Amino acid sequence: MQFPINLDLNATTPLDPEVAAAMRPYLDVELSGGNPSSTHALGSATKRAVEKARAQVARLLRCDPSEIVFTSGGSEGNNTAIQGVFLANRKKGNHIITSTVEHPAAAQACKFLAEYFGARVTYVECDSRGVIKLEELERAITPETVLITVMHANNEVGSIQPISEIAAIAKRHGVTFHSDGAQAVGKIPTDVKALGVDLYTVVGHKMFGPKGVGCLYMRAGVAVTPLIHGASHESNRRAGTENVLGLVGFGKAAELCAEHLDSYMQTMKASRDRLADGLQRLIPAEMMRVHTPLECALPNTLSIGFAGLEASTLLSELGDRVACSAGAACHSAGVTISSVLTAMKVPVQYALGTLRFSTGRYTTLQQVDAALAIISETVLRLLPEKESEVGSKEPMGPADLATVKLTRFTHGLGCACKLRPQLLEQIVSKLPNWGDPRLLVGTETGDDAAVYKLNDELALVLTDDFFTPVVDDPWHFGAIAAANSISDVYAMGGQPRCALSIVGFPNHRLPIQILEQIMQGASAKAAEAGCPIVGGHTISDTEPKFGLAVVGTVHPTRYVSNSGAQPGDWLILTKPLGLGIASTAIKRGLADSSLIRDATRVMETLNRGACESMVAVGVHSATDVTGFGLLGHLMGMTRGSHVDCDIYASSVPLIPGVEALATAGAIPGGLLIACPPENLDALLAKLRERLCGLEQPQPNDMAAPNQQKPHTSGTKDVLAAALIGRISGHGSGIIRVHPGLVPQ
């Protein structure tokens, strides 16, 4: 596997080779078998190793070894300090002061104390550099203040806080001061006596040591209630058998930092500055913003915003080549900008496109130069064109199509990119009601498609759907998108007749041959449905998007709506759930071949057989389970039908491999059908006959050149026609979920 250039070393660092060498003997049978609390020779050997590590860490922090309490890492260290000081001083007061730019391990600990123990928390604001305002901090102190907790250096933007000055303020007012030093240790001097802190959190994996180990410096005399209770480990300050292997590595990492800090700082600064200088030279100044001035930041950290771009898109583009982190996350509810960038009042256009680059002691200038070329080329290619330059960007040339992974070119997956139903309801509710009696199904029910009556014998079924890639292969993505769009017609009991394509394509990011394969996959699936694609519309987009606008027909009195469910109806689901999780696993490179195969088969399978079965037997209601998941679409059915229902979780079918992820959304899911009791047996029999006997035609002339055609043998193994619940009676749409099986 080829790994990207690692410029994400604030997230974690690899093991230093010397650290790994120090740990190796403690993987052997003899030393790995010793418990430091045992009094025999094996216990004594591991106890000596633990105490050596304690001394090594104490040397780095310039404190006494007795002031070092080993922990499982930064989150435990911060929680022990914050909760421990608060609980130990409840008679004095309940006030905590922190900042608006803290790591969640500290911020959430304060929030927990506020919610469950009545703590009053004051959040001190920062300036545009990410440095807190000392005057505001001192003004916030009251006689009830028991703790000030401010991180030494910020993990996102690298801003270094004036820890010594904060410590002096805390001391003047008799307040305990804790600082999260996770990002600072190994990058800048961390002499806890010179800093004046009372408690200081250290993490092993941020300083080229192992994960799952760290420590909390506790100045002698500071009152802290233990967070973990049990035996008398760590001088009664933290119960639990010591992680000897991890502590040996942690100690060695601390020793290396103590001996070589100046050299490490110079190396990190040189690589960080080279990257910053290069980007400032290559990217137009108005399109880029360095959030924290380099002289105020950690020597290895560069937080930079690119105007007009989305961080998620940049990460997807860089993913296999350069590793870094984003300052904003895109999801179905919108875009979330990090609390740190929000606190710093970074302009939105830069915050949305923020990336954090962080170098390490082994980052070479050659790696930086290679990364710089990739980053600058990507940013310049994705930057919006100026009005005077529209059309000047050259389309991307031919590429090795087998290496293109479509899910890497989008910030979200498929229907997960949809707007929230609540937002849509607000918008749709303000649209005019045309009052046309020929409009049999419109926006009022949230159905899968509209139904418009032409005459007494014929009505049109109208729908459109498009989304971003859910699989990496373009042929299969096209087939899945087509199946998803066409299935909305089937959900209404209709027959698809023809379709128009909807295309958004980044021809400056992807070769045009990719779109050709997408269209061929869609055409093959449309041909299977007897629904030719007869035209369409394309736009240039930053991400690949594809779907169809479909026209179908149905008899005006025989369409199936999601608002017709009746009390006593049984609920049948015709495809298994878990496709949202499967797609996410594919995007992250975590899905194995069997999961990819099964998920693709399900998504490519038309709901044609399910539709024909329910129309032949007669049902009250149906909906296509897609991006809003089973419960989301079921809620549309129950509210539209004014009924309540019971769902039996153990009966809900899942794709093999996602059993633990049953809450995932599905794209596209099967039909969810509300069937009257008298028709249940006939419907289940017909569904199983149609689904289990399914063989999908795959026209060879529709396949892309050198493209492996979809493999469908075994599709019946992952398709389902399962009884999952029942409409319980008239109501307001309440869905009750039971853990067991549907009662016989």
Side-chain angles (χ1 to χ4, degrees):
M1 180 176 179
Q2 177 126 14
F3 292 103
I5 299 168
N6 190 356
L7 296 182
D8 196 23
L9 289 148
N10 276 6
T12 192
T13 55
L15 281 182
D16 188 288
E18 292 190 49
V19 171
M23 296 172 66
R24 199 160 289 117
Y26 292 85
L27 288 169
D28 294 339
V29 173
E30 289 80 8
L31 286 177
S32 65
N35 186 322
S37 296
S38 300
T39 57
H40 49 65
L42 283 174
S44 298
T46 51
K47 179 67 172 177
R48 287 194 298 271
V50 169
E51 295 312 312
K52 178 182 178 181
R54 197 185 309 277
Q56 290 168 315
V57 175
R59 179 190 169 202
L60 172 63
L61 300 182
R62 304 285 182 89
C63 66
D64 191 273
S66 65
E67 296 175 304
I68 298 297
V69 178
F70 287 130
T71 66
S72 63
S75 295
E76 185 190 333
N78 285 344
N79 275 267
T80 297
I82 295 168
Q83 294 189 49
V85 170
F86 179 83
L87 295 174
N89 290 275
R90 295 191 72 183
K91 291 183 179 179
K92 176 184 176 183
N94 71 337
H95 184 220
I96 298 173
I97 298 174
T98 187
S99 83
T100 55
V101 291
E102 295 301 301
H103 189 278
Q108 291 298 318
C110 293
K111 182 180 179 182
F112 169 77
L113 291 174
E115 290 182 356
Y116 293 98
F117 290 89
R120 186 169 64 88
V121 183
T122 297
Y123 297 90
V124 177
E125 293 190 353
C126 66
D127 60 22
S128 61
R129 304 169 300 166
V131 178
I132 71 165
K133 300 174 180 178
L134 293 177
E135 301 82 1
E136 184 179 327
L137 182 143
E138 187 155 20
R139 284 197 303 270
I141 297 175
T142 74
E144 288 75 40
T145 305
V146 296
L147 177 68
I148 296 172
T149 177
V150 176
M151 68 194 323
H152 193 169
N154 187 267
N155 52 297
E156 288 190 40
V157 298
S159 54
I160 300 173
Q161 302 296 348
I163 297 300
S164 298
E165 290 90 335
I166 298 172
I169 293 171
K171 186 175 181 180
R172 280 202 303 272
H173 293 272
V175 178
T176 301
F177 176 39
H178 162 255
S179 183
D180 176 1
Q183 290 293 343
V185 178
K187 299 170 188 170
I188 57 176
T190 51
D191 181 333
V192 292
K193 302 300 183 185
L195 292 172
V197 295
D198 297 305
L199 300 113
Y200 194 75
T201 301
V202 184
V203 181
H205 74 99
K206 306 290 188 181
M207 49 191 281
F208 290 81
K211 299 174 179 66
V213 66
C215 78
L216 179 64
Y217 159 74
M218 289 187 186
R219 182 179 59 78
V222 175
V224 179
T225 298
L227 189 67
I228 299 176
H229 301 276
S232 59
H233 308 88
E234 295 299 293
S235 300
N236 288 308
R237 296 174 295 185
R238 195 269 191 188
T241 300
E242 295 87 347
N243 174 8
V244 178
L245 177 68
L247 291 177
V248 168
F250 182 36
K252 185 62 179 180
E255 180 184 90
L256 293 174
C257 289
E259 293 176 353
H260 306 293
L261 181 60
D262 289 343
S263 173
Y264 293 160
M265 290 176 62
Q266 291 174 13
T267 300
M268 289 184 286
K269 186 176 186 302
S271 57
R272 188 276 310 270
D273 289 353
R274 192 178 186 103
L275 179 63
D277 293 343
L279 289 173
Q280 289 170 333
R281 184 179 70 254
L282 296 170
I283 308 296
E286 69 275 12
M287 305 305 296
M288 190 178 75
R289 181 184 193 273
V290 176
H291 297 320
T292 296
L294 302 188
E295 63 272 14
C296 302
L298 289 168
N300 79 317
T301 305
L302 174 65
S303 177
I304 195 163
F306 300 99
L309 298 181
E310 287 187 0
S312 298
T313 301
L314 285 167
L315 283 186
S316 295
E317 189 84 9
L318 297 172
D320 286 337
R321 300 176 295 165
V322 177
C324 56
S325 294
C330 227
H331 44 75
S332 60
V335 180
T336 301
I337 298 172
S338 83
S339 59
V340 174
L341 298 180
T342 301
M344 293 170 62
K345 298 180 173 57
V346 173
V348 173
Q349 69 268 30
Y350 292 104
L352 290 174
T354 292
L355 296 181
R356 179 196 69 186
F357 302 102
S358 44
T359 63
R361 66 181 66 160
Y362 297 121
T363 304
T364 66
L365 297 182
Q366 290 78 11
Q367 288 176 315
V368 171
D369 289 342
L372 177 61
I374 295 169
I375 297 164
S376 59
E377 183 276 330
T378 299
V379 170
L380 290 171
R381 180 159 42 85
L382 296 179
L383 281 175
E385 293 179 282
K386 296 179 181 178
E387 189 173 344
S388 61
E389 300 172 346
V390 171
S392 63
K393 291 185 177 180
E394 290 294 326
M396 186 173 179
D400 181 1
L401 302 186
T403 66
V404 174
K405 296 183 181 299
L406 278 186
T407 58
R408 302 291 177 87
F409 289 83
T410 173
H411 71 272
L413 290 164
C415 292
C417 296
K418 283 185 176 180
L419 292 176
R420 288 182 298 166
Q422 299 92 323
L423 295 176
L424 292 176
E425 288 171 3
Q426 293 175 17
I427 296 169
V428 172
S429 66
K430 298 176 182 178
L431 296 177
N433 185 344
W434 297 103
D436 188 340
R438 292 171 296 180
L439 183 61
L440 305 180
V441 178
T443 60
E444 64 282 348
T445 60
D447 261 292
D448 297 290
V451 179
Y452 190 84
K453 179 179 177 180
L454 294 179
N455 54 50
D456 290 343
E457 299 296 323
L458 185 66
L460 296 179
V461 182
L462 307 165
T463 186
D464 66 349
D465 205 343
F466 71 106
F467 50 76
T468 55
V470 292
V471 293
D472 287 322
D473 183 278
W475 200 100
H476 287 290
F477 168 51
I480 290 167
N484 190 79
S485 304
I486 293 169
S487 286
D488 284 343
V489 174
Y490 289 135
M492 307 298 293
Q495 174 64 44
R497 298 300 180 184
C498 64
L500 299 171
S501 61
I502 306 169
V503 178
F505 193 75
N507 64 348
H508 56 290
R509 296 180 69 194
L510 287 167
I512 200 68
Q513 292 93 333
I514 295 293
L515 178 56
E516 180 183 344
Q517 291 192 8
I518 293 171
M519 292 293 298
Q520 288 175 338
S523 296
K525 187 55 58 177
E528 180 187 333
C531 177
I533 299 175
V534 295
H537 186 68
T538 65
I539 61 169
S540 177
D541 203 346
T542 58
E543 299 178 326
K545 301 178 179 74
F546 183 80
L548 300 176
V550 186
V551 176
T553 57
V554 71
H555 192 281
T557 63
R558 296 174 192 159
Y559 67 87
V560 182
S561 169
N562 72 356
S563 58
Q566 298 293 321
D569 283 355
W570 286 100
L571 293 171
I572 298 107
L573 184 64
T574 66
K575 285 184 183 177
L577 302 184
L579 293 167
I581 293 300
S583 297
T584 301
I586 292 169
K587 181 178 176 69
R588 296 184 61 189
L590 302 177
D592 60 26
S593 58
S594 62
L595 178 59
I596 295 173
R597 181 188 65 247
D598 289 346
T600 301
R601 288 176 186 170
V602 172
M603 289 189 281
E604 285 185 355
T605 300
L606 292 167
N607 283 329
R608 181 176 183 173
C611 170
E612 293 172 350
S613 298
M614 72 179 188
V615 170
V617 171
V619 301
H620 286 149
S621 183
T623 187
D624 190 19
V625 178
T626 54
F628 298 134
L630 172 63
L631 294 182
H633 288 275
L634 179 57
M635 182 178 293
M637 178 185 285
T638 57
R639 287 183 175 178
S641 305
H642 305 291
V643 295
D644 298 332
C645 75
D646 294 284
I647 291 292
Y648 297 87
S650 295
S651 296
V652 176
L654 304 174
I655 294 174
V658 297
E659 287 84 351
L661 306 166
T663 57
I667 312 167
L671 297 187
L672 177 64
I673 301 169
C675 176
E678 61 272 18
N679 294 351
L680 178 63
D681 290 341
L683 177 61
L684 288 175
K686 190 167 284 291
L687 283 171
R688 287 164 183 156
E689 173 189 342
R690 290 301 307 269
L691 297 180
C692 293
L694 185 65
E695 287 297 336
Q696 302 180 43
Q698 303 294 336
N700 290 341
D701 58 346
M702 292 292 183
N706 302 317
Q707 171 71 38
Q708 181 180 1
K709 300 171 188 65
H711 175 64
T712 57
S713 62
T715 303
K716 62 185 179 182
D717 297 331
V718 294
L719 293 176
L723 199 63
I724 65 168
R726 195 171 194 182
I727 303 297
S728 56
H730 291 293
S732 58
I734 295 173
I735 302 170
R736 289 174 289 268
V737 180
H738 307 281
L741 297 167
V742 173
Q744 296 298 314

